[in-house]
Amino acid sequence: MSLLVRGGTVVNSQGRRAADVLCEDGRIAAVLEPGSGVAADEAVDAGGLLVFPGFIDPHVHPRDPGDTHKEDFAHASRAAAAGGITTLLVMPNAVPPVTDAASFRRRAEEHGAVAHVDFGLWGLSLGMANIDDLAGLFAAGAVAVKLFWGYALDRESKRLVYNSDDCTPDDVIPPASTGEVLEICRVVAGAGGILGAHCEDRDILDVGQRRLGRAPEDYTELNVARPEVAESTSVAVGIELSRATGCRFHVCHISSARATHLVRLARKDGLPVTAETCPHYLLLAADDCAGKDSAMKAYPPCREPEDREALWAGVIDGTITSLGSDHAPHTLEDKTQPFATAPAGMVAVEVMMPLLLDQMTAGRLTPERLCWAACEGTARLYGLHPRKGAILPGADADLVLVDPQATWTIRGEDLHSVQRHTPFEGYEVRGMPVMTILRGSVVAAGREPVGAPHGRLVRREVRGRS
C-alpha cells in the first residue's frame, strides 16, 4: 500500500520546507516538491499543517506485567498514538523486569501482541547480580540498561525499594557501590551500550530525610528531603566513571541547573555523556506545584525557576539530547493520598507532546529544535536513526501531522491510559497532533486511536555520538 501526505510543511532538525511525502510498504519512498502529482493508493491533505517525524518517548513505565490495574502496555501504546508518539522505549519496572536476554525476548513477544506503536525495551541493572547478563541484553537489542542508582531492589520481585529501612538485608539486593557501578560501566562500554541512571545520591537523600525529621508533607519539604545536590553529586560521579571507562552514560529525567551544567562541561570535554528531561521540569517549579502536591509528586522533584530556565537552555543548546514523559501511572486513590504517603509518578505519555507543542507555538523553541529533541536526537541516542527520527527516503514512514492553531483543554476523561487523570488537568494548549502515522498506516486521528495494533519491536542497531 502507498500513502501520499501532501501539501504540508515537512519538519526536520535542520529546517522546514513545503513538500509531499510518499510512503510505500511502510517506508518513506520520496520527499517530493509540492503538487508533484504522484499517484498513491491513499492521500492525506496536510495543508496548513506541520509534518514531523514520529515522536519518540524514551521513558515510559507501563507497569506491564505486574501492576496492570495502574497501566498496561496496550493502553499506554494507544495513549501514545493519540498523543503523536510512534515509538515508546519501555523502562524495566515491570514484575518481573527485563534483566537478561531470555526475559527480553519474552517481553518483546508479550508487548508485540498488543502494541499500537513501535517499541524498544530497556534492561534493568541488578548491580553485580546480573552484570554477566548485560552483554547478552545488548546483543538481544536492548536500547539501554537502567540503573536506579542508590536504590535497593526487592530480592524476589526486583521491585524498586524506596525505603530500605522497612526491609531486612536478606529481603533486598543492596544498592550498587561506586566501585560496582564502575565495573558495570566497563561491561556496558565493552558491549557498546548505554547505561541510563536515575541520579540521586542515597547518602545525601538519607541526610535530607534525617534533616527534615519526617516524611515530606508538601513540595517544599520534598525539596529539603531530596535536594538538588543529591542529583548533581550522582551526575558528577557518573561523568567520572564515563571518563574512566568510555561508557555512554545517560542521565534520566535531569531536573537541576547544576546537573545540566556538569553534563554540558562533560560534553565539551568530548565524553559520551547525555541527558534527558521531562515536560514537568520544563514547565513547573516547586511553587507551581502548591495545591497539586500529590498529583505533581515526582522523583526527582521539580525545583526552582532558575533550574527550569537552565533546563530550557540545555534543550536549546543541545546539552539535553532527549525529552521523555516519565509516564508512571498510579491509581487516583494512590495519588489523592496525603503527600507523605502518595507515590511518585504521573500519567504523562499522552500529554507530553501537546505540552511541548504549546511551548513551540508560544515561541519557546523552534520546530527544528523540538524535532531534534523529540525525534532525531533521541533516535540517534538509542541507535534507531536513520530508521526513526527523520523524514528521509528509506526511513520508516512514521509521521505526525501537527496543527499549530488547534487548541485543547487537557482533561483526564479524554485520555486513553488505564488511569484517566493528570496533574495537567485544565491546561489549555495550542498546537496539536491531529494525525499519527506508523509505518505508512494511520494509527490515530483527531486524538483517537484507530485500527488494530501493529506495533513492532525496534532494536538498537548502531553506535554513534549523540
Side-chain angles (χ1 to χ4, degrees), residues 39 44 83 115 140 158 188 233 249 294 334 413 446:
V44 172
K158 310 302 186 294
V188 172
T233 297
F249 181 76
S294 296
D334 287 337
E413 64 189 24

Side-chain angles (χ1 to χ4, degrees), residues 286-362:
D287 287 350
D288 299 316
C289 298
K292 290 188 175 183
D293 285 344
S294 296
M296 290 291 189
K297 187 175 182 181
Y299 297 155
C302 299
R303 302 200 186 276
E304 300 304 316
E306 51 267 33
D307 294 293
R308 181 184 62 211
E309 295 310 305
L311 293 172
W312 272 116
V315 171
I316 300 304
D317 72 14
T319 298
I320 294 173
T321 303
S322 184
L323 300 169
S325 68
D326 198 4
H327 178 70
H330 296 283
T331 66
L332 185 60
E333 181 181 7
D334 287 337
K335 292 298 285 182
T336 52
Q337 291 181 38
F339 189 82
T341 55
M346 62 186 74
V347 179
V349 68
E350 190 169 345
V351 301
M352 179 176 81
M353 292 316 305
L355 290 168
L356 293 170
L357 288 163
D358 179 67
Q359 295 296 298
M360 180 197 76
T361 61

